[in-house]
Amino acid sequence: MATRDDGGQPKYRRIADVLREAIRLGDYGPGARLPGENELMTEHGVARMTARQALGVLQTEGIAESRKGAGVFVRAFRPVRRRGVQRLSGELWGAGRSIWAADIEDRDLVVDQIAVTEEPAPERVAHVLDLAPGAPVCVRSRRFVLDGKPVLLAASHLSAALVAGSAITREDTGPGGIYARLAELGHEPAHFREEVRSRMPSQEESRRLSLSAGTPVMLICRTAFTADGRAVEVNEMILDSASYVLEYDFDA
Amino acid sequence: MATRDDGGQPKYRRIADVLREAIRLGDYGPGARLPGENELMTEHGVARMTARQALGVLQTEGIAESRKGAGVFVRAFRPVRRRGVQRLSGELWGAGRSIWAADIEDRDLVVDQIAVTEEPAPERVAHVLDLAPGAPVCVRSRRFVLDGKPVLLAASHLSAALVAGSAITREDTGPGGIYARLAELGHEPAHFREEVRSRMPSQEESRRLSLSAGTPVMLICRTAFTADGRAVEVNEMILDSASYVLEYDFDA
């Protein structure tokens, strides 16, 4: 039975509230170690299980994270700022830079896994690219690592017929990346749509992104369209939500 | 001790994998009832606890949700499509429509709670609005409900000095909402920035949005700027991730 105080709320929740408020006020900054079970037991006069539950609440909420043998720490939110609009502007990728350059600012985002395959189009991708179900697509799967931590899984899909023989089918797509190559093929992207949602990760996603408990993923599905409205690429991205802020700027 | 099969993976995880794949393939569609504990016990020859754990995995992942006394069901993802760019276009709100109209499509999004208060500006808001820390701001707090389910908490902050005496300080802001009123005051928004992230909800957010277990929130911080670059509004939004897809369209 949980110990209750006068307010009818279990004691571990009250202790979690106190710690959460102290974090909000900056008494414990990002990366700071929170009081351990022994300290909470002494300070609040509670059993070890109650102290442990209080720390567990903050971990479930994603506010704190446990490091084996070292204690429970305030999670630092020091995200990459991903600018959805400017990073796809023609000036940037037209000039031969990777579209990812704008994401990094002064941090080091690198691809540590890449696979380029030809596969039958998944139904949702075939639908968007206006291909027959199961038509072959070139799939460029990449994992991006920031400061040694995996933060993003991306799977870009393009019609195999459209990109056959181009550098898009190779690991190294050359200066300007796939959008520069699409332009050379006469399919220059002119318009983009990004759809964003969030959910809890699957076990596989959690493993590939090394996610802590209580960390959702953000999903971005980006579609690139030519000037005449043809969808030429569908890029499905899975992002560690603790590592990203997405930014979109636009005019009224 | 968890029962293990030959692959070294606990049996409940294997069962969860089977159910997840069946959901992915559409054998269990959105809203469908999954096999109960008794059925899983018979079909897989496992103990009740193992069957329960398997269903628990899918709930933690947000794929399924429990309904008291009725079983565990595939979560239906039937979100509102929120168009970040078009909904703030001048044609829309300039014409006297609510900026929220574009969100709804054929569904019924309504405000069920509203409070308009004057408060000292929180530090981060003061920073963005270029106000002295603690300067008074007009805060418009609203909760939006879709088909009877709360889906969005929004808190819009504007300098109290800027909006004093206008309808922005009243619950009913009149045709075109606060952006039409800002235009009348000579502070017409010309540019918007939306910053999006995701995290697990606090208990309070979970309660106010009636969130199921395993449901993150998406946070949108929208800033409205005048043509000369002055920030006139900061709107902090908290969205039920199971109810929303955010869409951003833009040109290369």
Side-chain angles (χ1 to χ4, degrees), chain A residues 4 45 84 97 108 111 123-124 126 161 172 188 229 235 240 251:
Chain A
R4 290 175 179 277
R97 297 193 206 159
D108 192 22
V111 174
E123 194 177 311
R124 62 189 182 285
D172 181 359
E188 183 171 13
N235 193 348
D240 170 8
D251 294 325

Side-chain angles (χ1 to χ4, degrees), chain A residues 13 61 77 81 84 190-198 200 203 214 241 246-252, chain B residues 13 20 77 81 84 190-198 200 203 214 241 246-252:
Chain A
R13 293 223 170 263
E61 292 178 0
F77 185 58
R81 178 168 293 271
H191 188 74
F192 296 93
R193 170 178 300 156
E194 295 198 350
E195 294 167 270
V196 181
R197 54 174 291 212
S198 172
M200 291 312 283
Q203 287 171 44
S241 67
L246 313 181
E247 181 179 312
Y248 296 94
D249 289 77
F250 46 94
D251 294 325
Chain B
R13 293 224 171 263
R20 193 188 299 105
F77 185 58
R81 177 168 294 270
H191 188 74
F192 295 92
R193 170 177 300 157
E194 294 198 350
E195 294 167 87
V196 180
R197 55 174 291 211
S198 173
M200 292 311 285
Q203 289 172 43
S241 66
L246 313 182
E247 179 180 314
Y248 296 93
D249 290 78
F250 47 93
D251 295 325

Side-chain angles (χ1 to χ4, degrees), chain A residues 118-164:
Chain A
E118 190 171 306
E119 297 173 25
E123 194 177 311
R124 62 189 182 285
V125 170
H127 176 72
V128 174
L129 292 180
D130 199 18
L131 299 173
V137 283
C138 170
V139 183
R140 303 181 51 82
S141 301
R142 291 174 296 173
R143 185 172 80 165
F144 291 80
V145 174
L146 177 75
D147 300 341
K149 158 84 180 65
V151 293
L152 166 66
L153 308 173
S156 174
H157 301 71
L158 306 101
S159 160
L162 195 75
V163 302

Side-chain angles (χ1 to χ4, degrees), chain A:
Chain A
M1 199 189 78
T3 322
R4 290 175 179 277
D5 69 5
D6 295 340
Q9 197 185 28
K11 261 215 164 145
Y12 74 91
R13 293 223 170 263
R14 269 291 298 275
I15 299 172
D17 289 348
V18 169
L19 290 172
R20 192 188 300 105
E21 183 66 9
I23 293 167
R24 199 185 66 80
L25 293 172
D27 297 345
Y28 301 101
R33 185 180 173 283
L34 291 173
E37 293 174 9
N38 291 335
E39 293 161 82
L40 293 175
M41 289 162 68
T42 307
E43 187 181 344
H44 297 275
V46 296
R48 181 170 303 279
M49 186 51 67
T50 306
R52 189 172 298 169
Q53 285 178 306
L55 292 169
V57 167
L58 300 180
Q59 291 170 64
T60 304
E61 292 178 0
I63 295 171
E65 60 191 343
S66 172
R67 295 185 205 147
K68 277 214 174 72
V72 177
F73 294 80
V74 179
R75 180 178 282 192
F77 185 58
R78 183 170 165 268
V80 187
R81 178 168 293 271
R82 176 183 183 276
R83 296 201 166 86
V85 179
Q86 295 94 320
R87 55 193 288 286
L88 290 170
S89 72
E91 302 87 73
L92 198 58
W93 57 264
R97 297 193 206 159
S98 159
I99 58 155
W100 287 104
D103 285 7
I104 308 179
E105 307 205 328
D106 59 347
R107 302 172 72 190
D108 192 22
L109 193 66
V110 292
V111 174
D112 80 328
Q113 295 178 358
I114 183 165
V116 185
T117 55
E118 190 171 306
E119 297 173 25
E123 194 177 311
R124 62 189 182 285
V125 170
H127 176 72
V128 174
L129 292 180
D130 199 18
L131 299 173
V137 283
C138 170
V139 183
R140 303 181 51 82
S141 301
R142 291 174 296 173
R143 185 172 80 165
F144 291 80
V145 174
L146 177 75
D147 300 341
K149 158 84 180 65
V151 293
L152 166 66
L153 308 173
S156 174
H157 301 71
L158 306 101
S159 160
L162 195 75
V163 302
S166 80
I168 291 172
T169 62
R170 295 194 285 274
E171 287 196 7
D172 181 359
T173 52
I178 68 169
Y179 294 147
R181 298 295 85 71
L182 280 171
E184 290 161 7
L185 291 168
H187 304 291
E188 183 171 13
H191 188 74
F192 296 93
R193 170 178 300 156
E194 295 198 350
E195 294 167 270
V196 181
R197 54 174 291 212
S198 172
R199 59 163 168 71
M200 291 312 283
S202 69
Q203 287 171 44
E204 170 71 6
E205 291 160 354
S206 193
R207 189 186 60 74
R208 290 199 66 201
L209 290 170
S210 302
L211 301 177
S212 307
T215 308
V217 284
M218 289 193 282
L219 309 182
I220 303 177
C221 179
R222 185 179 67 222
T223 308
F225 299 89
T226 59
D228 58 359
R230 178 178 185 184
V232 288
E233 185 214 12
V234 174
N235 193 348
E236 297 187 308
M237 292 171 262
I238 303 173
L239 293 77
D240 170 8
S241 67
S243 298
Y244 272 99
V245 165
L246 313 181
E247 181 179 312
Y248 296 94
D249 289 77
F250 46 94
D251 294 325

Side-chain angles (χ1 to χ4, degrees), chain B residues 84-112:
Chain B
V85 178
Q86 295 94 320
R87 54 194 288 287
L88 290 170
S89 72
E91 302 87 75
L92 196 60
W93 56 264
R97 298 194 207 158
S98 160
I99 58 157
W100 287 103
D103 286 7
I104 308 179
E105 307 202 332
D106 59 347
R107 301 172 72 190
D108 192 23
L109 192 67
V110 294
V111 174
D112 80 328

Side-chain angles (χ1 to χ4, degrees), chain B:
Chain B
M1 201 189 76
T3 321
R4 288 175 182 279
D5 68 6
D6 295 339
Q9 197 186 26
K11 260 214 163 144
Y12 73 92
R13 293 224 171 263
R14 270 291 299 274
I15 299 173
D17 288 348
V18 169
L19 290 172
R20 193 188 299 105
E21 183 65 9
I23 293 167
R24 200 185 66 78
L25 293 173
D27 297 343
Y28 301 101
R33 186 181 173 282
L34 291 173
E37 292 173 11
N38 291 335
E39 294 160 80
L40 293 175
M41 288 163 67
T42 306
E43 186 180 346
H44 297 275
V46 296
R48 180 171 303 279
M49 184 52 66
T50 305
R52 190 172 297 169
Q53 284 178 306
L55 292 169
V57 167
L58 300 179
Q59 291 171 66
T60 304
E61 291 178 0
I63 296 171
E65 61 191 342
S66 170
R67 295 183 206 150
K68 276 213 175 72
V72 177
F73 294 80
V74 179
R75 181 179 281 193
F77 185 58
R78 184 171 167 266
V80 186
R81 177 168 294 270
R82 176 183 182 276
R83 296 200 167 85
V85 178
Q86 295 94 320
R87 54 194 288 287
L88 290 170
S89 72
E91 302 87 75
L92 196 60
W93 56 264
R97 298 194 207 158
S98 160
I99 58 157
W100 287 103
D103 286 7
I104 308 179
E105 307 202 332
D106 59 347
R107 301 172 72 190
D108 192 23
L109 192 67
V110 294
V111 174
D112 80 328
Q113 296 178 356
I114 183 165
V116 184
T117 55
E118 189 170 307
E119 297 173 25
E123 195 177 310
R124 62 189 183 285
V125 171
H127 176 72
V128 174
L129 293 180
D130 198 19
L131 300 173
V137 283
C138 170
V139 182
R140 302 181 52 82
S141 302
R142 291 174 296 173
R143 185 173 81 166
F144 291 80
V145 175
L146 177 74
D147 299 341
K149 158 82 179 69
V151 293
L152 166 65
L153 308 173
S156 174
H157 300 74
L158 305 102
S159 159
L162 195 76
V163 302
S166 79
I168 292 173
T169 62
R170 294 194 284 274
E171 287 196 6
D172 181 0
T173 52
I178 68 167
Y179 294 146
R181 298 296 84 70
L182 280 171
E184 291 161 6
L185 291 168
H187 305 291
E188 183 171 13
H191 188 74
F192 295 92
R193 170 177 300 157
E194 294 198 350
E195 294 167 87
V196 180
R197 55 174 291 211
S198 173
R199 60 164 168 72
M200 292 311 285
S202 69
Q203 289 172 43
E204 171 71 7
E205 291 160 355
S206 193
R207 188 186 61 74
R208 290 198 65 201
L209 290 170
S210 302
L211 300 177
S212 307
T215 308
V217 285
M218 288 193 283
L219 308 182
I220 303 176
C221 179
R222 185 179 68 221
T223 309
F225 299 88
T226 59
D228 58 359
R230 179 180 184 182
V232 289
E233 185 214 13
V234 174
N235 193 348
E236 296 187 308
M237 291 173 261
I238 303 171
L239 293 77
D240 171 7
S241 66
S243 298
Y244 272 100
V245 165
L246 313 182
E247 179 180 314
Y248 296 93
D249 290 78
F250 47 93
D251 295 325

